[in-house]
């Protein structure tokens, strides 16, 4: 049961690991403060690549099952109890990068009818009644079909839920300010010789990078840096973490951001620079002290 007197945050993501990379510190912070945090993940990443050689035999449903275990462990690290799979386990499978033949498979998320998938999410929205929704921008942050589709489903579900009686007061897209990304990559290039990664990614590899002036909201997750890193480590088939950096299966090092950034796209901006996703939301001010 959802406590409807609490602050309620809903996040919609494409694959296990995206939530920890994009919002791990935010999720840990709000969970620790007593907010109800709900994660909806659209697929189990059944067709993705596997980093540890010992687990590379896992494919399809077996890999999805393993990744559900990793997601469960990651949510334990973040203190998030309410995590769900869109439409139930196995309803939507993941797609590959744009243009590959696998994306024609009718089981994959890219082929899903947006309205049908959105209705699966509307059920969650009407139950949880979130004051805040977080998802990707229309490009999915970096053009991955599943991320684009997750964006479409989340935005459509918000519309359908409003028609059905719950209008989400604030909707945000995941962002990284360009100057922050550039500075982090400069540090990364200096630190690279001491890291277990051969090469560095570039700013262009980071999803959601935009000009600084588009950032409306900054969540300082410094106190939750360890929880975020632990959640990312829990996704061992997809992420290698070392100090303040990580790499995906392409083995290119990227900075691990513990301050997380957002662009408000629906609802009223409460301050020039918000430091709380719930800022200005009526009835969302009660905060349980983090212990
Ligand atoms: Zn993803």
């Amino acid at each position: 049961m959802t406590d409807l007197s609490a602050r309620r945050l809903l996040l919609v993501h494409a694959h296990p690991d995206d939530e920890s990379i994009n919002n791990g510190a935010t999720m840990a912070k709000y969970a620790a403060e007593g907010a109800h945090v709900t994660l909806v993940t659209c697929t189990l990443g059944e067709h993705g690549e596997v980093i540890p050689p010992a687990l590379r035999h896992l494919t399809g449903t077996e890999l999805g099952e393993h990744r559900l275990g990793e997601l469960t462990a990651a949510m334990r690290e973040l203190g998030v109890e309410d995590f769900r799979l869109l439409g139930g386990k196995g309803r939507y499978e993941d797609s590959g990068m744009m243009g590959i033949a696998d994306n024609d498979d009718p089981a994959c998320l890219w082929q899903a009818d947006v309205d049908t998938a959105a209705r699966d999410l509307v059920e969650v929205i009407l139950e949880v009644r979130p004051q805040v929704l977080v998802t990707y921008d229309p490009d999915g942050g970096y053009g991955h079909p599943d991320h684009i589709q997750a964006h479409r489903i989340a935005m459509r579900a918000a519309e359908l839920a409003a028609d059905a009686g719950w209008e989400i007061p604030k909707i945000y897209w995941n962002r990284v300010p360009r100057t922050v990304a550039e500075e982090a990559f400069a540090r990364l290039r200096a630190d690279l010789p001491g890291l277990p990664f051969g090469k560095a990614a570039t700013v262009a590899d980071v999803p959601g990078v935009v000009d600084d002036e588009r950032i409306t909201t900054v969540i300082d997750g410094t106190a939750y840096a360890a929880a975020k890193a632990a959640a990312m480590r829990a996704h061992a088939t997809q992420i290698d973490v070392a100090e303040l950096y990580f790499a995906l299966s392409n083995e290119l090092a990227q900075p691990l951001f513990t301050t997380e950034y957002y662009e408000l796209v629906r609802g009223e901006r409460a301050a020039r620079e918000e430091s709380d996703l719930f800022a200005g939301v009526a009835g969302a001010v009660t905060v349980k002290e983090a212990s």
Side-chain angles (χ1 to χ4, degrees):
M1 277 296 285
T2 308
D3 175 5
L4 292 178
S5 69
R7 300 191 293 174
R8 300 177 305 279
L9 168 63
L10 172 65
L11 304 104
V12 177
H13 276 293
H15 313 110
D17 87 346
D18 294 317
E19 80 296 325
S20 297
I21 296 170
N22 285 278
N23 314 108
T26 302
M27 293 171 75
K29 171 184 147 66
Y30 283 110
E33 290 177 356
H36 185 103
V37 178
T38 303
L39 168 69
V40 174
T41 305
C42 295
T43 80
L44 280 174
E46 297 87 346
H47 304 293
E49 304 205 1
V50 175
I51 295 177
L55 294 172
R56 286 199 189 136
H57 61 279
L58 294 173
T59 54
T61 315
E62 258 190 351
L63 179 56
E65 202 60 51
H66 187 86
R67 287 190 164 156
L68 179 56
E70 293 181 338
L71 180 63
T72 305
M75 292 305 96
R76 206 176 300 126
E77 299 292 352
L78 299 180
V80 171
E81 290 170 11
D82 185 7
F83 57 100
R84 312 165 185 219
L85 299 168
L86 184 69
K89 189 160 88 177
R91 175 71 183 84
Y92 303 102
E93 292 183 12
D94 63 329
S95 321
M97 280 299 179
M98 201 60 94
I100 72 163
D102 287 5
N103 297 351
D104 298 332
D105 183 340
C108 81
L109 187 68
W110 186 237
Q111 293 297 329
D113 174 64
V114 170
D115 272 26
T116 305
R119 278 194 287 276
D120 289 332
L121 186 57
V122 169
E123 275 183 40
V124 179
I125 294 173
L126 294 180
E127 177 200 325
V128 173
R129 302 186 175 214
Q131 295 105 338
V132 174
L133 167 66
V134 168
T135 189
Y136 314 109
D137 68 17
D139 183 44
Y142 70 116
H144 190 296
D146 290 330
H147 288 236
I148 293 171
Q149 197 74 327
H151 158 87
R152 291 175 180 164
I153 291 165
M155 298 305 284
R156 181 66 179 137
E159 275 176 14
L160 294 173
D163 294 342
W166 184 256
E167 182 159 6
I168 301 171
K170 298 182 98 173
I171 303 180
Y172 293 92
W173 292 343
N174 292 309
R175 290 302 189 198
V176 178
R178 193 173 310 282
T179 58
V180 169
E182 283 167 355
E183 282 163 23
F185 273 96
R187 265 196 312 278
L188 163 59
R189 285 189 293 272
D191 290 348
L192 193 62
L195 296 172
F197 308 114
K199 279 187 182 169
T202 65
V203 171
D205 296 309
V206 177
V209 174
V210 286
D211 292 341
D212 296 19
E213 50 269 25
R214 290 191 52 186
I215 307 301
T216 59
T217 313
V218 178
I219 301 298
D220 179 358
T222 314
Y224 302 95
K228 175 169 182 167
M232 288 173 64
R233 266 193 203 95
H235 289 290
T237 58
Q238 305 199 74
I239 311 178
D240 262 338
V241 181
E243 296 169 40
L244 293 170
Y245 302 101
F246 72 98
L248 302 173
S249 62
N250 61 14
E251 295 175 32
L252 300 175
Q254 298 188 37
L256 191 165
F257 296 108
T258 52
T259 295
E260 294 168 345
Y261 302 87
Y262 300 90
E263 179 180 4
L264 178 73
V265 295
R266 294 266 197 296
E268 207 150 321
R269 188 170 173 174
R272 217 182 72 77
E273 185 181 289
E274 295 180 343
S275 55
D276 174 12
L277 296 171
F278 293 89
V281 175
V285 288
T286 339
V287 179
K288 191 180 87 183
E289 279 305 307
S291 49

